[in-house]
Amino acid sequence: MKKVLGALLFGVLIVVLAACGTADEDTNQEETNGDGGSSEEAQSLYDQVMDKGVLTIGTEGTYAPYTFHNDADELTGYDVEVAREIAKRMGVEAEFKETKWDSMFAGLNTKRFDMIANQVGIRPDREEKYDFSKPYTYTTAVLVAPKGGDVQTFEDLEGAKAAQSLTSNYGDIARDHGAEIVSVEGFNPAMQLLSNGRADATVNDRLSVLDFLKQREDAKVEIVDRQEDAAETAMMFRQDNPELIEAVNEALAAMLEDGTLKEISEKWFGEDVSTQ
């Protein structure tokens, strides 16, 4: 009988000690994690960027003259220089992660990068899901078609094949004019489809097209029409990161005030595209 009682008392003691140990572990865990999340999750994105000393930026790397590789295979371009200058003024390093346009928003969603610098147009459907900096580029859409072709105005897009990135502003314009969209993964593939006759036209950025025509004087395509309304493009972020957006806006405002943004703009385009 004594042995049975002793065994029962021993079992109770083990349960009590185990419960105490679990309570201590839970307390320690709460002290470590605060509100139950990791210390990194508790930090704002701005604090994470400043602590790491790195601003991670998503970009295509194939969209001249905004973001592309030069003859030395170095990433360069208007957007790249603007983003680097922003990071410099924030006191951090700019780290670029290159990705295709149609994968770029997903990369931002999954936190592969902190910001997108790739001529992303500000429009209502995007503002429902993302936040934007102040605009740093104003440009217009142009219609490009083979020389001597049937497409000469935006109205001629009805029933025509337009080479477009599916999620771009320019794809929306072509679609709104009744075009049949031929999906491409960026500017260069669109121009290639035009050149080999697999598309009738493309709606694209005026400055990119002018740069293309300057580099490819033998190209058998031309600008046949343009829209006058200027589109605003900006850096794009995940929602609820006001401190980081404020820091980027402060850098852009300083660059606009001291002429740096104008200088970068004129270097790439021969004109100031940073203001309306």
Side-chain angles (χ1 to χ4, degrees), residues 24-80:
D24 289 342
E25 289 171 7
D26 289 344
T27 301
N28 290 337
Q29 189 71 22
E30 289 173 4
E31 289 175 352
T32 301
N33 291 346
D35 62 358
S38 68
S39 57
E40 184 170 300
E41 288 173 345
Q43 274 189 316
S44 70
L45 180 57
Y46 172 78
D47 287 338
Q48 292 176 40
V49 168
M50 300 309 291
D51 283 353
K52 293 176 183 177
V54 176
L55 178 64
T56 308
I57 304 159
T59 196
E60 277 182 286
T62 57
Y63 187 25
Y66 298 108
T67 162
F68 68 103
H69 286 255
N70 60 20
D71 292 339
D73 200 27
E74 300 165 330
L75 182 66
T76 188
Y78 174 71
D79 283 47
V80 172

Side-chain angles (χ1 to χ4, degrees), residues 147-217:
K147 293 178 178 178
D150 294 332
V151 176
Q152 295 296 312
T153 69
F154 281 98
E155 285 66 33
D156 294 334
L157 283 173
E158 181 71 41
K161 293 182 179 180
Q164 310 291 159
S165 296
L166 292 177
T167 56
S168 73
N169 292 16
Y170 304 117
D172 289 343
I173 294 171
R175 200 176 287 110
D176 290 344
H177 283 84
E180 175 189 339
I181 303 301
V182 180
S183 176
V184 294
E185 294 178 341
F187 177 82
N188 289 329
M191 302 309 288
Q192 176 128 24
L193 287 189
L194 278 190
S195 299
N196 61 28
R198 293 173 60 194
D200 303 312
T202 184
V203 180
N204 233 296
D205 169 68
R206 181 178 74 92
L207 299 173
S208 292
V209 175
L210 290 176
D211 180 73
F212 174 83
L213 294 175
K214 183 174 68 175
Q215 304 297 331
R216 296 280 305 275
E217 293 182 359

